[in-house]
Coordinates of all heavy atoms in Angstrom, one line a residue:
I188 N 64.0 -6.0 26.0 CA 64.3 -4.9 27.0 C 64.4 -5.5 28.4 O 65.3 -5.2 29.2 CB 63.2 -3.8 26.9 CG1 63.4 -3.0 25.6 CG2 63.4 -2.9 28.1 CD1 62.3 -2.0 25.4
V189 N 63.4 -6.4 28.7 CA 63.5 -7.0 30.1 C 64.7 -7.9 30.2 O 65.4 -7.8 31.3 CB 62.2 -7.8 30.3 CG1 62.3 -8.7 31.5 CG2 61.0 -6.9 30.4
L190 N 65.0 -8.7 29.2 CA 66.2 -9.6 29.3 C 67.5 -8.7 29.4 O 68.4 -9.1 30.2 CB 66.3 -10.5 28.1 CG 65.3 -11.7 28.1 CD1 65.4 -12.4 26.8 CD2 65.6 -12.6 29.3
G191 N 67.5 -7.6 28.7 CA 68.7 -6.8 28.7 C 68.8 -6.1 30.1 O 70.0 -6.1 30.6
L192 N 67.7 -5.6 30.7 CA 67.8 -5.0 32.0 C 68.2 -6.1 33.0 O 69.1 -5.8 33.9 CB 66.5 -4.4 32.4 CG 66.2 -3.1 31.6 CD1 64.8 -2.6 32.0 CD2 67.2 -2.0 32.0
V193 N 67.7 -7.2 33.0 CA 68.0 -8.3 34.0 C 69.5 -8.7 33.8 O 70.2 -8.9 34.7 CB 67.1 -9.5 33.8 CG1 67.6 -10.7 34.7 CG2 65.7 -9.1 34.2
G194 N 69.9 -8.7 32.5 CA 71.3 -9.1 32.3 C 72.3 -8.1 32.8 O 73.4 -8.4 33.2
V195 N 71.9 -6.8 32.7 CA 72.8 -5.7 33.2 C 72.8 -5.6 34.7 O 73.9 -5.5 35.3 CB 72.4 -4.4 32.5 CG1 73.1 -3.2 33.2 CG2 72.7 -4.4 31.1
V196 N 71.6 -5.7 35.3 CA 71.5 -5.5 36.7 C 72.0 -6.7 37.6 O 72.7 -6.5 38.5 CB 70.0 -5.2 37.1 CG1 69.8 -5.1 38.6 CG2 69.6 -3.8 36.4
A197 N 71.6 -7.9 37.2 CA 71.9 -9.1 38.0 C 73.4 -9.5 37.8 O 73.9 -9.4 36.6 CB 71.0 -10.3 37.6
D198 N 74.0 -9.8 38.8 CA 75.4 -10.2 38.8 C 75.6 -11.6 38.3 O 75.0 -12.5 38.8 CB 76.0 -10.0 40.2 CG 77.5 -9.9 40.2 OD1 78.0 -9.4 39.1 OD2 78.2 -10.2 41.2
G199 N 76.4 -11.8 37.2 CA 76.6 -13.1 36.7 C 75.6 -13.6 35.7 O 75.7 -14.7 35.2
L200 N 74.7 -12.7 35.3 CA 73.7 -13.1 34.3 C 73.9 -12.3 33.0 O 72.9 -11.9 32.3 CB 72.3 -12.9 34.8 CG 71.9 -13.9 35.9 CD1 70.5 -13.5 36.4 CD2 72.0 -15.3 35.6
G201 N 75.2 -12.1 32.6 CA 75.5 -11.3 31.4 C 75.0 -11.9 30.1 O 74.7 -11.3 29.1
Y202 N 74.8 -13.3 30.2 CA 74.4 -13.9 29.0 C 72.9 -13.5 28.6 O 72.5 -13.6 27.5 CB 74.5 -15.5 29.2 CG 73.6 -16.0 30.2 CD1 72.3 -16.5 29.9 CD2 74.0 -16.2 31.6 CE1 71.5 -17.0 30.9 CE2 73.2 -16.7 32.5 CZ 72.0 -17.1 32.2 OH 71.2 -17.6 33.2
L203 N 72.1 -13.1 29.6 CA 70.8 -12.6 29.3 C 70.8 -11.4 28.5 O 69.9 -11.1 27.7 CB 70.0 -12.4 30.6 CG 69.6 -13.6 31.4 CD1 68.8 -13.3 32.6 CD2 68.7 -14.5 30.5
L204 N 71.8 -10.5 28.7 CA 72.0 -9.3 27.9 C 72.2 -9.7 26.4 O 71.6 -9.1 25.5 CB 73.2 -8.5 28.4 CG 73.5 -7.3 27.6 CD1 72.4 -6.3 27.6 CD2 74.8 -6.6 28.1
F205 N 73.0 -10.7 26.2 CA 73.3 -11.1 24.8 C 72.0 -11.8 24.2 O 71.7 -11.6 23.0 CB 74.5 -12.0 24.7 CG 75.8 -11.3 25.1 CD1 76.4 -11.7 26.3 CD2 76.3 -10.3 24.3 CE1 77.6 -11.0 26.7 CE2 77.4 -9.6 24.7 CZ 78.1 -10.0 25.9
I206 N 71.3 -12.5 25.0 CA 70.0 -13.1 24.5 C 69.0 -12.0 24.2 O 68.3 -12.0 23.2 CB 69.5 -14.1 25.5 CG1 70.4 -15.3 25.6 CG2 68.0 -14.5 25.1 CD1 70.0 -16.2 26.8
G207 N 69.0 -11.0 25.0 CA 68.1 -9.8 24.8 C 68.5 -9.1 23.5 O 67.6 -8.7 22.7
I208 N 69.8 -8.9 23.2 CA 70.2 -8.3 22.0 C 69.8 -9.1 20.8 O 69.4 -8.6 19.8 CB 71.7 -8.0 22.1 CG1 72.1 -7.0 23.1 CG2 72.3 -7.6 20.7 CD1 73.5 -6.8 23.4
A209 N 70.0 -10.5 20.9 CA 69.6 -11.3 19.8 C 68.1 -11.3 19.5 O 67.7 -11.2 18.4 CB 70.0 -12.8 20.1
V210 N 67.3 -11.2 20.6 CA 65.8 -11.1 20.4 C 65.5 -9.8 19.8 O 64.6 -9.7 18.9 CB 65.1 -11.3 21.8 CG1 63.6 -11.0 21.7 CG2 65.3 -12.7 22.3
L211 N 66.1 -8.7 20.1 CA 65.9 -7.4 19.5 C 66.2 -7.4 18.1 O 65.5 -6.9 17.2 CB 66.7 -6.3 20.3 CG 66.5 -4.9 19.8 CD1 65.0 -4.5 20.0 CD2 67.4 -4.0 20.4
I212 N 67.3 -8.0 17.7 CA 67.7 -8.1 16.3 C 66.7 -8.9 15.5 O 66.3 -8.5 14.4 CB 69.1 -8.7 16.1 CG1 70.2 -7.7 16.7 CG2 69.5 -9.1 14.7 CD1 71.5 -8.3 16.8
V213 N 66.2 -10.0 16.1 CA 65.2 -10.8 15.4 C 63.9 -10.0 15.2 O 63.3 -10.0 14.2 CB 64.9 -12.1 16.2 CG1 63.6 -12.8 15.7 CG2 66.1 -13.0 16.1
A214 N 63.5 -9.2 16.2 CA 62.3 -8.4 16.1 C 62.5 -7.3 15.1 O 61.5 -7.1 14.3 CB 62.0 -7.7 17.5
L215 N 63.7 -6.7 15.0 CA 63.9 -5.7 13.9 C 63.9 -6.3 12.5 O 63.3 -5.7 11.6 CB 65.2 -5.0 14.2 CG 65.3 -4.1 15.4 CD1 66.7 -3.5 15.6 CD2 64.3 -3.0 15.3
I216 N 64.4 -7.5 12.4 CA 64.4 -8.1 11.1 C 63.0 -8.5 10.7 O 62.6 -8.3 9.5 CB 65.3 -9.4 11.1 CG1 66.8 -8.9 11.1 CG2 65.1 -10.3 9.8 CD1 67.8 -10.1 11.3
L217 N 62.2 -9.1 11.6 CA 60.9 -9.4 11.4 C 60.0 -8.2 11.0 O 59.2 -8.2 10.1 CB 60.3 -10.1 12.6 CG 58.8 -10.6 12.5 CD1 58.7 -11.7 11.4 CD2 58.4 -11.2 13.8
S218 N 60.2 -7.1 11.7 CA 59.5 -5.9 11.4 C 59.9 -5.4 10.0 O 59.0 -4.9 9.3 CB 59.9 -4.8 12.5 OG 59.3 -3.6 12.1
A219 N 61.2 -5.4 9.6 CA 61.6 -5.0 8.3 C 61.0 -5.8 7.2 O 60.6 -5.3 6.2 CB 63.1 -5.0 8.2
V220 N 60.9 -7.1 7.4 CA 60.4 -8.0 6.4 C 58.9 -7.7 6.2 O 58.4 -7.6 5.1 CB 60.6 -9.5 6.8 CG1 59.8 -10.4 5.9 CG2 62.1 -9.8 6.7
R221 N 58.1 -7.5 7.3 CA 56.7 -7.2 7.2 C 56.5 -5.9 6.6 O 55.5 -5.7 5.8 CB 56.1 -7.3 8.6 CG 55.9 -8.7 9.2 CD 55.2 -8.7 10.5 NE 55.1 -10.0 11.0 CZ 54.0 -10.4 11.6 NH1 53.0 -9.6 11.8 NH2 53.9 -11.7 12.0
F222 N 57.3 -4.9 6.9 CA 57.1 -3.6 6.3 C 57.4 -3.6 4.8 O 56.7 -3.0 4.1 CB 58.1 -2.6 7.0 CG 58.0 -1.2 6.5 CD1 56.8 -0.4 6.8 CD2 59.0 -0.6 5.8 CE1 56.7 0.9 6.3 CE2 58.9 0.7 5.3 CZ 57.8 1.4 5.5
R223 N 58.4 -4.3 4.4 CA 58.8 -4.4 3.0 C 57.7 -5.1 2.2 O 57.4 -4.7 1.1 CB 60.1 -5.1 2.9 CG 60.6 -5.1 1.4 CD 62.0 -5.7 1.3 NE 62.9 -4.8 2.0 CZ 64.2 -4.9 1.9 NH1 64.8 -5.8 1.2 NH2 65.0 -4.0 2.5
R224 N 57.2 -6.2 2.7 CA 56.1 -6.9 2.0 C 54.8 -6.3 2.1 O 53.9 -6.5 1.2 CB 56.0 -8.4 2.6 CG 57.0 -9.3 2.1 CD 56.6 -10.7 2.5 NE 56.0 -10.8 3.8 CZ 55.6 -12.0 4.3 NH1 55.7 -13.1 3.6 NH2 55.1 -12.0 5.5
G225 N 54.5 -5.4 3.0 CA 53.2 -4.8 3.2 C 52.8 -3.9 2.1 O 51.6 -3.7 1.9
G226 N 53.7 -3.2 1.4 CA 53.4 -2.3 0.4 C 53.0 -2.8 -0.9 O 52.5 -2.1 -1.8
R227 N 53.3 -4.1 -1.2 CA 53.0 -4.7 -2.5 C 51.6 -5.2 -2.6 O 51.1 -5.7 -1.6 CB 54.0 -5.8 -2.7 CG 55.5 -5.4 -2.8 CD 56.3 -6.5 -3.1 NE 57.7 -6.1 -3.0 CZ 58.8 -6.9 -3.0 NH1 58.6 -8.2 -3.1 NH2 60.0 -6.5 -3.0
S228 N 51.1 -5.1 -3.7 CA 49.7 -5.7 -3.9 C 49.9 -6.9 -4.8 O 50.7 -7.0 -5.7 CB 48.8 -4.7 -4.6 OG 49.3 -4.3 -5.9
V229 N 49.0 -7.8 -4.6 CA 49.0 -9.1 -5.3 C 48.2 -9.0 -6.6 O 47.0 -8.6 -6.5 CB 48.5 -10.2 -4.4 CG1 48.5 -11.5 -5.2 CG2 49.3 -10.4 -3.2
N230 N 48.7 -9.3 -7.8 CA 48.0 -9.2 -9.0 C 47.3 -10.6 -9.3 O 48.0 -11.6 -9.3 CB 48.9 -8.9 -10.2 CG 49.5 -7.5 -10.1 OD1 48.8 -6.6 -9.5 ND2 50.6 -7.2 -10.6

């Protein structure tokens, strides 16, 4: 969120917006993997 806001507000720092989007995607994937593995029990 911080990188996205800085990328939108600051002039010429649009690449920070794309880095922020990439970090958000990584966070969502990491969250999905943890949520999917969390329900299983180990036999």
Side-chain angles (χ1 to χ4, degrees):
I188 291 171
V189 170
L190 285 174
L192 286 174
V193 171
V195 169
V196 172
D198 200 25
L200 295 177
Y202 64 92
L203 287 179
L204 176 63
F205 296 112
I206 293 172
I208 292 170
V210 170
L211 182 63
I212 291 171
V213 168
L215 291 176
I216 291 172
L217 183 63
S218 176
V220 168
R221 286 185 180 218
F222 180 71
R223 184 173 293 193
R224 280 195 317 181
R227 297 182 184 168
S228 62
V229 178
N230 294 331

